[in-house]
Amino acid sequence: MADVSSPVAQPVGGLLTRAAIFLVVTVNPGPEASTAVRSLCGDLAALLRAVGFRDPGGRLSCIMGIGSDAWDRLFGEPRPAELHPFREFRSGARHAIATPGDLLFHIRAERMDLCFELATQIMARLGDAVAPVDEVHGFRYFDARDLLGFVDGTENPTGQAVVDATLIGAEDPSFAGGSYVIVQKYLHDIAGWNALPTEAQERIIGRTKLSDIELDETVKPSWAHSALTVIEEGGKEIKILRDNMPFGRAGEGEFGTYFIGYSRSPRTIEQMLENMFVGRPPGNYDRILDFSRAVTGNLFFVPSATFLEEVTPDAQPLAAEPLAASPAAEPSQSISPMPDGSLGIGSLKGNPR
């Protein structure tokens, strides 16, 4: 039986849905803005229940992530061990760019109207405490394909492997049950991509287009996407969880993929990005970047749902008032390692307010 003191994770491992909204905002200056964000942390579960109750079968969920600078303003010390600003990678014309972003709301459901309503309620609650910097409405495209025509997310872990890949444990016990998430918005040159023969596309991706079977190692190039994104340590592959979504505006000629990757450590995804943009070895880069351009880049820490529910609006970060701080202002201090690795879709249930 799980220890009752174990934190409950946000629903990082939730199943892929038909719709998603990726909402990134910055927190405006001033103590009132920080207070408003902390207030939302504690009440996010209630907002989710209120909207999701309208259609329980819609599988509405929301994951909240917090950026490095925002963490200092909102909570101060202690900090998640590996939280830092997004690392940029550049080589020639290829650039994994860093863009502004303090908070991420990853909203998923089987219906876009549920996602939209929750995003509306979150923004109404935050009001002028934040400024939106990016909002993407994603959709499932046929049989989980991206707009390049290939199945996306085939190598995602399942079952216990999801917990092992995404949730922090004893390595950072104050933040057990948390995760790291990196997001990037990619825009595709669809006309250029579609001009390639299918065989050339398959060599770039490293999988067959129709059947989604990985190419044999004897024919798959070392610069194929599926080759460069395999990360191994000690002879064992280190997995991440992708929940990518296509997005676009056909009338505007916009075709894109919103990359979102959850990981127990951001170093895994950062190594993937370095392999893609710089190359492994340098110069042996991911040829998909000849047709896809990253226009955003952010790293966020995803605290446990338990952490969020224990945040109080008037909690002051230690860095702001080092002499007046008290243990009660640091909900993360009571979080212990998570032996059961619980993910539950209802993990934002909280207590009624």
Side-chain angles (χ1 to χ4, degrees):
M1 183 174 179
D3 184 347
V4 295
S5 66
S6 298
V8 178
Q10 294 194 61
V12 169
L15 298 176
L16 184 67
T17 55
R18 295 189 175 278
I21 291 180
F22 307 95
L23 179 61
V24 176
V25 303
T26 53
V27 180
N28 289 329
E32 296 85 0
S34 296
T35 297
V37 173
R38 286 192 293 265
S39 178
L40 175 69
C41 289
D43 288 344
L44 182 60
L47 283 180
L48 178 65
R49 286 196 306 273
V51 178
F53 183 76
R54 304 181 195 185
D55 180 8
R59 297 200 295 122
L60 178 67
S61 67
C62 178
I63 295 170
M64 181 178 181
I66 301 163
S68 181
D69 292 343
W71 185 277
D72 291 338
R73 289 182 55 192
L74 296 170
F75 308 117
E77 296 292 341
R79 283 173 55 88
E82 295 192 76
L83 180 59
H84 56 262
F86 179 84
R87 288 181 59 199
E88 293 194 344
F89 296 96
R90 185 196 295 267
S91 180
R94 302 178 302 280
H95 187 193
I97 187 173
T99 51
D102 290 329
L103 305 175
L104 166 71
F105 298 97
H106 178 198
I107 304 171
R108 293 178 286 191
E110 291 300 313
R111 296 168 45 179
M112 179 54 77
D113 56 346
L114 289 173
C115 296
F116 186 81
E117 177 65 14
L118 182 57
T120 299
Q121 294 298 331
I122 288 171
M123 291 303 294
R125 178 64 181 270
L126 290 172
D128 58 9
V130 301
V133 293
D134 194 38
E135 179 177 345
V136 173
H137 293 206
F139 54 88
R140 186 187 294 182
Y141 189 58
F142 297 110
D143 49 337
R145 294 180 183 267
D146 57 28
L147 297 185
L148 301 180
F150 286 77
V151 175
D152 197 359
T154 303
E155 295 300 322
N156 270 346
T158 58
Q160 180 62 34
V162 176
V163 176
D164 297 338
T166 61
L167 296 188
I168 295 167
E171 71 272 21
D172 193 6
S174 292
F175 296 99
S179 186
Y180 293 92
V181 60
I182 286 179
V183 297
Q184 293 177 292
K185 182 165 69 174
Y186 285 88
L187 297 179
H188 306 312
D189 172 12
I190 288 293
W193 177 259
N194 288 339
L196 293 177
T198 298
E199 293 76 11
Q201 295 179 358
E202 291 176 338
R203 284 169 55 81
I204 290 174
I205 300 298
R207 308 185 75 89
T208 57
K209 191 169 187 177
L210 179 61
S211 60
D212 188 39
I213 302 299
E214 188 166 3
L215 297 184
D216 188 271
E217 296 296 329
T218 59
V219 298
K220 182 170 63 176
S222 60
W223 41 257
H225 179 72
S226 64
L228 292 174
T229 54
V230 171
I231 306 299
E232 294 184 347
E233 291 183 7
K236 179 182 178 181
E237 183 177 354
I238 307 300
K239 293 281 191 177
I240 69 169
L241 182 70
R242 299 169 177 84
D243 205 356
N244 303 349
M245 279 281 198
F247 69 91
R249 295 178 296 172
E252 299 295 327
E254 178 185 81
F255 302 90
T257 297
Y258 199 93
F259 166 78
I260 178 165
Y262 290 95
S263 180
R264 189 167 181 160
S265 166
R267 289 179 287 113
T268 306
I269 301 176
E270 288 168 345
Q271 186 61 63
M272 291 180 179
L273 295 180
E274 184 173 3
N275 292 349
M276 290 172 59
F277 283 81
V278 179
R280 185 176 65 185
N284 194 54
Y285 69 93
D286 189 340
R287 299 309 195 268
I288 199 173
L289 296 177
D290 291 340
F291 303 91
S292 300
R293 176 170 57 96
V295 295
T296 69
N298 301 98
L299 165 64
F300 301 95
F301 177 68
V302 177
S304 68
T306 304
F307 180 98
L308 291 179
E309 291 171 359
E310 293 178 354
V311 171
T312 58
D314 57 351
Q316 294 296 317
L318 282 179
E321 296 186 41
L323 299 179
S326 66
E330 301 176 60
S332 62
Q333 291 295 305
S334 63
I335 297 177
S336 58
M338 202 173 154
D340 67 339
S342 174
L343 278 175
I345 294 300
S347 61
L348 288 179
K349 59 179 187 277
N351 296 316
R353 293 178 178 265

